[in-house]
Amino acid sequence: MPRQPSEQTRTPPPTPSTAPATGDSPAPTGPDLRPRPSKAPRRSRAPRTPRTPYHRLFTVPGARAFTLGNLLARLPMGMFSVSAVIMIAGSRGSYALAGAVTATGLAATALVAPWTARLVDRHGQARIAVPATAFALLGSLSLLLCVRFGAPDWTLFAAYAATATTPNTGGMSRARWAHLFRDDPDAVHTANSFEQAADELCFMLGPVCAAFLCTTLFPEAGTLVAGALMMTGVLVFAAQRSTEPPPQRHPRSKSPVLAPGMPPLLLGFLATGAVFGSMEVVTIAFADAHGHRAAAGAVLALQAAGSCAAGLLYGALKPAGPAERRHRLGLAAMTVTMSLPLLAASLTGSLPVLAGALLLAGTATAPTMVTGMALVQRRTPEGRLNEGMTLAVTGLLGGIACGSAAGGWVVERFSSSTGYVVPVAAAAIAFTLSALTSGRFRGTSPSFRGSAPSGGSNPCANSDAPH
């Protein structure tokens, strides 16, 4: 057997052309063809499966950024009115004047918001939302200066009416989700549930933040902080151009108000808004009548908390059955659960028991609103999605104003406990409207028909068609 040279005497191996050795001469050492240990190939990581449907939403590039900006812009929506009331009432000593000013701003928003949304659909979110927000912010600052320097009362109305150009940031966010998941109705359902939960969260935190800032620092602090948050949030939101749905500059479709199935649906949103408006006024009156007015905000926050939790749970589930039937069942559940505060106030007169009843009553709100918004998306003609959802929000605002007036009238004429009849009646009206029109408007809007991959009724299909 040939001897291997030692480490000290090892000679360079001959080239492959060397002749083979004979006799006892050592065999030439050729190229070392022995297998050498090699590093194990790196295993490619399988893509992570989202743990919940909500994780799946935020794996889309840009989704987290525009959601953060939208939340920053949406929180002030619950701060402006409370800040205005505290600021005006503290300076002028009149809650009646403060209420009239905020009511004027609400009415102006109901008139202007659909036009702003129409411009958003035609020219894009970033091009319209930023200047519209800046103009609304000037209105808020004008109101602050008018109150601060004792301007005549009519200037307060004019200044607050200028805030009506505030864009519907919640609607714009829903439009982005509809564009990103235009071929996935389940993901759109989850996104709508998340947005509804975000609405409830802002409803809980906004008034609390405004009251804290105005009472702890100075009366104008709530308006200033809300304005800064709104402008910052809209700028962050608008900067995410990759997730923005494309504009449709020359839409061929008519107004969403004229779309099949939209008028009764919008009337249902009007009645649903009356549930919220009356519940707020009556609960404040009930807490005041029992000597706990300061706790009214916390009690109302429990209703929003119940709705927020139910919305998140509902979004994690896959909806079963037609949206029309689910919406009708949701309104029926709202009618039943809204009777719980009426029973709690009438039979016990206890604020803690009422708080528990409101928590349970809120659980039917978010699922109903999520399904209602899905129907709005389905029935809105192509290229007018922001306008359609803004009309739904306008219906809610109008209903809140009507419900507040009706609830206050019943409380004044009868009692705070009897006032809880109003939200029950409003929910029953919304259910009746849905029941009377069920089956007449099933299916998609003509502009969406046949756009889904399977020929189904995807409410968001064809939203990225060339314009």
Side-chain angles (χ1 to χ4, degrees):
M1 182 174 180
R3 292 181 296 111
Q4 297 291 338
S6 63
E7 185 69 22
Q8 290 80 7
T9 62
R10 183 174 296 169
T11 58
T15 61
S17 60
T18 307
T22 58
D24 295 332
S25 61
T29 306
D32 188 2
L33 302 178
R34 290 176 298 175
R36 297 181 181 181
S38 58
K39 294 182 179 180
R42 297 183 63 182
R43 295 181 180 179
S44 58
R45 292 184 178 181
R48 288 186 177 181
T49 303
R51 289 173 287 177
T52 68
Y54 294 101
H55 285 84
R56 180 185 176 191
L57 296 181
F58 298 107
T59 58
V60 177
R64 296 183 183 182
F66 87 71
T67 300
L68 175 61
N70 189 268
L71 290 176
L72 286 176
R74 205 184 307 187
L75 179 62
M77 303 309 167
M79 298 176 62
F80 279 119
S81 60
V82 175
S83 300
V85 168
I86 295 176
M87 185 170 58
I88 295 172
S91 176
R92 305 294 172 94
S94 174
Y95 279 98
L97 175 63
V101 170
T102 55
T104 300
L106 186 66
T109 299
L111 293 174
V112 176
W115 295 93
T116 304
R118 183 176 300 179
L119 292 174
V120 168
D121 283 327
R122 291 186 178 182
H123 303 285
Q125 294 181 353
R127 292 187 63 183
I128 300 301
V130 174
T133 303
F135 189 86
L137 182 58
L138 290 177
S140 296
L141 295 177
S142 299
L143 175 67
L144 186 151
L145 295 175
C146 290
V147 173
R148 182 74 175 177
F149 295 103
D153 290 348
W154 67 266
T155 61
L156 307 184
F157 291 91
Y160 205 62
T163 64
T165 61
T166 303
N168 178 15
T169 53
M172 291 192 298
S173 186
R174 287 177 172 92
R176 292 201 178 205
W177 292 122
H179 169 66
L180 293 173
F181 296 103
R182 52 193 171 274
D183 297 326
D184 192 344
D186 290 340
V188 174
H189 163 74
T190 302
N192 284 337
S193 301
F194 171 79
E195 293 298 329
Q196 185 61 38
D199 284 339
E200 301 294 347
L201 182 65
C202 294
F203 173 78
M204 286 189 295
L205 297 180
V208 175
C209 293
F212 174 79
L213 291 170
C214 293
T215 55
T216 304
L217 301 179
F218 48 91
E220 297 84 3
T223 300
L224 291 174
V225 173
L229 286 175
M230 183 177 68
M231 196 70 239
T232 302
V234 169
L235 288 174
V236 173
F237 179 83
Q240 312 308 314
R241 303 299 292 268
S242 62
T243 56
E244 181 179 351
Q248 182 156 338
R249 302 188 184 280
H250 304 288
R252 303 173 186 174
S253 54
K254 297 181 180 180
S255 171
V257 178
L258 305 176
M262 281 294 281
L265 186 58
L266 294 177
L267 288 175
F269 274 97
L270 185 71
T272 305
V275 175
F276 305 146
S278 58
M279 186 68 75
E280 181 176 354
V281 171
V282 174
T283 300
I284 293 174
F286 183 87
D288 192 16
H290 289 76
H292 301 288
R293 187 177 186 181
V299 172
L300 287 171
L302 285 176
Q303 181 189 1
S307 181
C308 180
L312 291 175
L313 178 61
Y314 185 64
L317 304 175
K318 287 187 177 181
E324 289 81 2
R325 182 169 64 88
R326 287 186 280 115
H327 188 239
R328 187 168 64 254
L329 291 176
L331 290 172
M334 275 188 66
T335 305
V336 173
T337 56
M338 287 299 162
S339 64
L340 297 178
L342 174 62
L343 295 175
S346 303
L347 299 180
T348 68
S350 169
L351 191 63
V353 175
L354 175 65
L358 287 173
L359 178 65
L360 294 176
T363 56
T365 301
T368 305
M369 292 295 299
V370 169
T371 310
M373 281 296 181
L375 288 175
V376 170
Q377 292 176 349
R378 175 176 299 181
R379 297 176 182 178
T380 299
E382 180 187 356
R384 292 181 177 269
L385 189 54
N386 284 288
E387 184 179 355
M389 288 188 291
T390 301
L391 285 171
V393 173
T394 300
L396 286 173
L397 293 177
I400 289 173
C402 295
S404 299
W409 184 85
V410 173
V411 167
E412 290 288 337
R413 294 297 181 94
F414 301 98
S415 66
S416 57
S417 300
T418 308
Y420 284 104
V421 172
V422 179
V424 178
I429 292 172
F431 169 73
T432 303
L433 287 170
S434 177
L436 290 177
T437 58
S438 64
R440 295 177 56 191
F441 304 105
R442 289 187 181 179
T444 59
S445 173
S447 59
F448 295 127
R449 203 165 276 148
S451 299
S454 59
S457 58
N458 180 4
C460 311
N462 207 27
S463 61
D464 64 337
H467 305 292

